[in-house]
Amino acid sequence: MSVVALLALDGVPAHHLSTPGLVFGAASRSFHRGPPYELRVCSPTDVTTAPPGAFRITPDRGLDGLEDADTVILTGYRECPAAPSSAVLDAVRAAAARGARIGAIGAGAFVLAATGLLDGRRATTDWARAPELARRHPRIQLDTVDFVVADGPFLTSAGVLGGKDLCLRIVEEEHGVPVAVEADRQLFLMLPDPSETLRASDAEEGSDRRPVADSVAECPFESTTAWMEADLRRPLTLAEIAEHAGTSVRSLSRDFRARTGLTPLQYLLRARVRRAQWLLEHSDAPVAQIATRTGLGTPANLRHHFQRLNGTTPSAYRAAFRELVGIFAPVEREQRCDASPSAGQSRSPRS
């Protein structure tokens, strides 16, 4: 389990707390993905969020919550750019010294800059505060961009969606692009919790729910699942899958379910639906053709299983995905930090 400590200071924008919860929660729910996240809200004192609609929160942990965290995320705060307390700075330095990843959302870069850890490194922050950050910390190579900037173990972000992008970058680094994409899809297409759809489908099939394996990589049937997914159009029986795995049908069903939480045929069905999602996102192929290419056979069969597992129809999914791509993923946002403009070059921030 990966531990993420969210360091909240007084005046933290509320969405700096809620966005990591949404992203890491979605990543934890992603089926057949890496282990779940533990998200801690840490602060030396109770904090009040920034107005409007300010509210007071009691953190889960004090600064001790940073001591064993794999990742520490620094949020913005009301008194920025005033430096936080020495205790806060020491806690961040200690986390970095033992190898933790450190991220900063927006004005949280001022906290990271105050530790001296960004000296000589590239970073970004909210566009409006960038001149002040450059003035106070001239040794930082400031990039006024609206995507995540990574330099070593330090991640900084800016822009309206900076917090989301930073958290998704962390998910991507730990578990790969597919997991980050799936988390993003769940968030913005409002797909149902996969565990809920599994419980519902298992109830329909009259089978008992069992825990899902933490990772596909741990599954001894990895080569068999890769073979199953290599050509989803071909009809497969349990006997054929067992023969490929070099085991009996009975052993295959028992061991496969124990390791993955699914029967082999349930896994195959979900692989077909996942492939249908990809084709809906990346091609203009009609639903009938997608049904054939994924082995689901008919448009009616595709719609049935797609609706059951994703809570929406294939056509509605495609339309929603393309609309959201236009809003949230213009071409310039696809640039990675390692291909970002050199320091001093700037682009207009999103409004």
Side-chain angles (χ1 to χ4, degrees):
M1 177 179 292
S2 183
V3 177
V4 179
L6 196 60
L7 179 57
L9 300 179
D10 206 40
V12 55
H15 66 279
H16 285 197
L17 300 176
S18 60
T19 298
L22 290 170
V23 173
F24 293 118
S28 294
R29 293 192 304 271
S30 295
F31 186 61
H32 279 309
R33 298 301 190 256
Y37 284 89
E38 176 190 340
L39 181 62
R40 304 170 179 169
V41 178
C42 306
S43 182
T45 63
D46 286 359
V47 297
T48 301
T49 62
F55 55 90
R56 192 166 185 80
I57 63 170
T58 299
D60 301 326
R61 303 275 292 271
L63 294 177
D64 64 300
L66 279 60
E67 293 175 358
D68 61 344
D70 301 288
T71 300
V72 175
I73 298 179
L74 312 174
T75 65
Y77 58 106
R78 178 180 300 157
E79 298 304 322
C80 176
S85 69
S86 59
V88 168
L89 299 180
D90 288 343
V92 175
R93 292 189 189 103
R98 62 174 176 74
R101 177 194 294 108
I102 310 294
I105 302 174
F110 280 85
V111 179
L112 190 51
T115 65
L117 295 171
L118 286 181
D119 287 354
R121 295 183 180 272
R122 295 171 51 247
T124 191
T125 188
D126 291 335
W127 176 79
R129 291 191 170 99
E132 182 63 18
L133 182 64
R135 186 186 69 80
R136 286 176 174 256
H137 302 280
R139 296 187 62 187
I140 295 176
Q141 301 172 33
L142 188 64
D143 283 352
T144 51
V145 294
D146 58 356
F147 51 85
V148 177
V149 171
D151 194 328
F154 305 109
L155 306 175
T156 53
S157 66
V160 175
L161 297 180
K164 179 190 79 91
D165 293 344
L166 184 141
C167 295
L168 285 172
R169 176 62 182 268
I170 292 169
V171 172
E172 178 184 326
E173 288 185 356
E174 294 193 341
H175 301 298
V177 172
V179 183
V181 169
E182 179 63 21
D184 207 9
R185 178 188 287 120
Q186 287 185 33
L187 287 176
F188 287 104
L189 294 182
M190 296 180 290
L191 298 182
D193 183 338
S195 64
E196 294 298 328
T197 60
L198 284 170
R199 279 192 286 271
S201 61
D202 282 348
E204 292 175 6
E205 297 164 12
S207 55
D208 296 329
R209 174 76 177 129
R210 297 186 185 181
V212 175
D214 283 342
S215 173
V216 170
E218 298 176 359
C219 179
F221 301 107
E222 183 177 4
S223 63
T224 297
T225 57
W227 169 76
M228 291 163 64
E229 296 185 43
D231 185 0
L232 293 170
R233 291 171 295 182
R234 83 191 142 190
L236 289 175
T237 65
L238 274 175
E240 290 170 328
I241 298 172
E243 181 180 1
H244 184 277
T247 186
S248 67
V249 169
R250 182 172 181 175
S251 294
L252 172 76
S253 299
R254 180 189 65 240
D255 297 340
F256 197 100
R257 188 173 180 83
R259 299 295 298 187
T260 70
L262 295 172
T263 68
L265 294 182
Q266 286 174 333
Y267 180 93
L268 181 60
L269 173 62
R270 283 159 180 79
R272 286 171 167 157
V273 172
R274 287 197 300 270
R275 179 61 179 171
Q277 286 178 313
W278 191 93
L279 289 170
L280 289 165
E281 296 166 4
H282 297 90
S283 79
D284 294 319
V287 170
Q289 187 181 114
I290 291 175
T292 300
R293 291 171 64 180
T294 57
L296 290 167
T298 66
N301 198 39
L302 169 58
R303 281 191 291 269
H304 170 72
H305 292 297
F306 201 95
Q307 176 85 45
R308 185 163 64 93
L309 295 177
N310 291 324
T312 188
T313 66
S315 297
Y317 178 90
R318 171 177 272 167
F321 180 85
R322 292 186 175 182
E323 180 180 358
L324 288 166
V325 165
I327 296 172
F328 294 111
V331 173
E332 67 269 21
R333 276 178 48 75
E334 295 176 359
Q335 295 187 60
R336 295 302 303 263
C337 64
D338 52 4
S340 62
S342 59
Q345 293 180 323
S346 64
R347 295 184 301 160
S348 298
R350 286 190 305 271
S351 58

